[in-house]
Amino acid sequence: MTDVGGATATGDGIARRRRRRWLTGAAAVAGLLGAGTLACGWVLYDRLSDNITPDEAAAAELARYERERPTALVRGAQNILLIGSDTRAGDGNRRYGKDLGTERSDTTILLHLAADRRSATAVSLPRDLMVHVPSCLRGDGRRSEPSFTLFNSAFEVGGSACTIRTVEKLTDIRIDHHVVVDFSGFKDMVDSVDGVQVCLKEPINDKAAKLRLPAGRVTLDGEQALGYVRARKSLGNGSDTERMERQQLFLGALVNKVRGSDVLLNPAKLYPLLDAATSALTTDPELASLRGLYQLVRGLRDIPTEQVQFLTVPREPYVYDSNRDQLVEGRADALFALLRADKPVPVTKKNAPSSDNSEAPGFRGNTAAEDSCA
């Protein structure tokens, strides 16, 4: 029946059925999209987790020496050993030198996270520091003899496990986790955040590093950043001291870039960073997944940048070779004791009138909040 003056009961029924079909269809599409998004999320999660290389060999070697390793004194505090590998093997790394089948730790940092996650202290360990390296398992299956030698040779002899055991014997601090990053991975991480700004007090023209930069504020891409943190003889006074200071300032700038921008809140920017970071990492098995990394870093979000401190272990020229380093034992022991007990480490600015040999209470360093132009 048709009603010319308006809608009939039959027309209303048809309209209601159409609306129901539309809503049902929309719900189905939304469900499919939600399921697709969830499936995509799991695919990305698995990919990022699979990017990380678990260091099973190191875990097995450390388990072999568990009885001689230090005991953790403060529950919740964490000590992570960050190792920058100078390997020339693999894609993107051969351009930095000939692959001789060995690698050394170009940079090693002991990162201490306070149990309350209100502070973090990163201590650089010089690669030329003279230390006791224990007997370690070599890559060919043989065991090395204990030796008193350069710190970075521990990584060459027995990889991360040997470096960890060397650090634990040196500091009596239990290493809870370790992370190894190579040249190519470092560059990718810097590029993934669109570069990192640093302040150069003088222009740089380093032919070996292929680095030419003006003085002032400069945003470094991955390749430039790698040259900046690795260059030694052509910058400053040519010492490893200045090189470590540049590394610390750069890491502070990187922390500020990630925390001060919208990287962490923007999936389009966060995913490239996570992809670059996870692809670059070899870690202990406990950290070798996004869940493991998240458990480690979730408490770091609330640490004020002025409480992220960088310093170098107190050292002086080695008594038998001024081109090598040795610990300033009293000062170094005091620093290790503070970290071991999870107590605050007093840090004074590097330009303050102090030295590693003084009796001043503070250790020379800087914080992530400091401006390198200041």
Side-chain angles (χ1 to χ4, degrees):
M1 179 182 296
T2 303
D3 184 349
V4 177
T8 65
T10 302
D12 288 342
I14 293 172
R16 283 195 295 270
R17 286 195 296 273
R18 285 175 178 170
R19 284 195 296 271
R20 284 198 296 270
R21 285 198 297 269
W22 184 89
L23 290 172
T24 301
V29 171
L32 288 173
L33 288 175
T37 300
L38 183 61
C40 182
W42 277 112
V43 168
L44 294 180
Y45 178 91
D46 286 343
R47 174 178 171 177
L48 293 174
S49 288
D50 289 344
N51 281 346
I52 307 171
T53 303
D55 200 347
E56 302 285 359
E61 179 70 355
L62 292 173
R64 176 188 177 97
Y65 291 96
E66 179 60 36
R67 286 189 175 184
E68 69 178 42
R69 298 184 64 194
T71 300
L73 299 183
V74 180
R75 184 176 182 179
Q78 294 278 297
N79 296 295
I80 302 98
L81 199 64
L82 309 176
I83 303 171
S85 166
D86 71 352
T87 180
R88 269 67 171 178
D91 294 339
N93 290 324
R94 292 187 180 90
R95 64 186 300 180
Y96 303 108
K98 186 176 180 181
D99 180 9
L100 301 177
T102 61
E103 55 184 322
R104 294 193 181 192
S105 50
D106 192 66
T107 300
T108 305
I109 295 175
L110 174 58
L111 175 63
H112 175 79
L113 306 179
D116 61 7
R117 296 301 189 268
R118 298 301 300 162
S119 66
T121 303
V123 181
S124 294
L125 300 173
R127 60 183 182 180
D128 293 338
L129 189 67
M130 297 299 294
V131 297
H132 292 279
V133 176
S135 172
C136 294
L137 182 65
R138 295 181 179 274
D140 60 8
R142 297 180 298 167
R143 291 201 168 269
S144 66
E145 293 294 326
S147 60
F148 184 68
T149 185
L150 296 176
F151 170 68
N152 71 337
S153 66
F155 195 73
E156 178 187 18
V157 170
S160 51
C162 192
T163 301
I164 291 168
R165 292 180 58 220
T166 299
V167 171
E168 289 185 339
K169 288 181 177 295
L170 181 72
T171 65
D172 199 28
I173 294 172
R174 172 84 177 203
I175 302 301
D176 301 292
H177 300 290
H178 69 277
V179 176
V180 182
V181 185
D182 66 17
F183 291 163
S184 182
F186 174 83
K187 291 191 305 177
D188 290 344
M189 282 190 284
V190 174
D191 285 334
S192 72
V193 295
D194 299 324
V196 174
Q197 186 182 88
V198 296
C199 181
L200 306 179
K201 295 184 178 180
E202 297 179 354
I204 294 176
N205 186 7
D206 187 317
K207 293 182 179 180
K210 299 179 181 179
L211 194 62
R212 187 174 186 134
L213 299 168
R217 296 188 185 278
V218 181
T219 298
L220 305 181
D221 62 23
E223 188 71 35
Q224 293 169 327
L226 181 62
Y228 178 71
V229 299
R230 293 193 67 239
R232 179 175 177 177
K233 295 183 179 179
S234 62
L235 298 184
N237 61 13
S239 70
D240 201 34
T241 299
E242 287 201 358
R243 190 179 73 103
M244 287 186 292
E245 290 177 358
R246 285 198 307 276
Q247 291 171 351
Q248 292 166 4
L249 288 171
F250 183 85
L251 289 175
L254 178 59
V255 169
N256 279 332
K257 178 63 180 286
V258 173
R259 293 186 55 166
S261 68
D262 61 350
V263 170
L264 297 179
L265 300 177
N266 186 337
K269 293 184 177 181
L270 180 59
Y271 180 78
L273 173 61
L274 291 175
D275 190 36
T278 53
S279 298
L281 302 182
T282 298
T283 76
D284 56 278
E286 191 175 342
L287 286 187
S289 70
L290 280 186
R291 181 185 297 274
L293 287 175
Y294 175 73
Q295 291 294 328
L296 176 66
V297 304
R298 67 178 179 175
L300 305 183
R301 294 170 297 183
D302 297 327
I303 298 180
T305 52
E306 63 271 15
Q307 292 302 319
V308 180
Q309 303 180 132
F310 297 90
L311 62 146
T312 301
V313 65
R315 84 269 189 253
E316 61 190 0
Y318 179 48
V319 64
Y320 298 114
D321 185 346
S322 60
N323 293 318
R324 305 287 183 254
D325 290 323
Q326 65 184 27
L327 293 180
V328 179
E329 292 190 0
R331 299 275 291 163
D333 289 344
L335 172 61
F336 299 151
L338 291 173
L339 296 175
R340 195 161 48 243
D342 193 35
K343 293 183 178 180
V345 175
V347 172
T348 58
K349 290 186 178 181
K350 284 190 169 70
N351 58 4
S354 174
S355 71
D356 287 334
N357 290 304
S358 74
E359 296 303 319
F363 298 91
R364 299 184 70 192
N366 56 273
T367 71
E370 290 183 32
D371 186 345
S372 57
C373 272

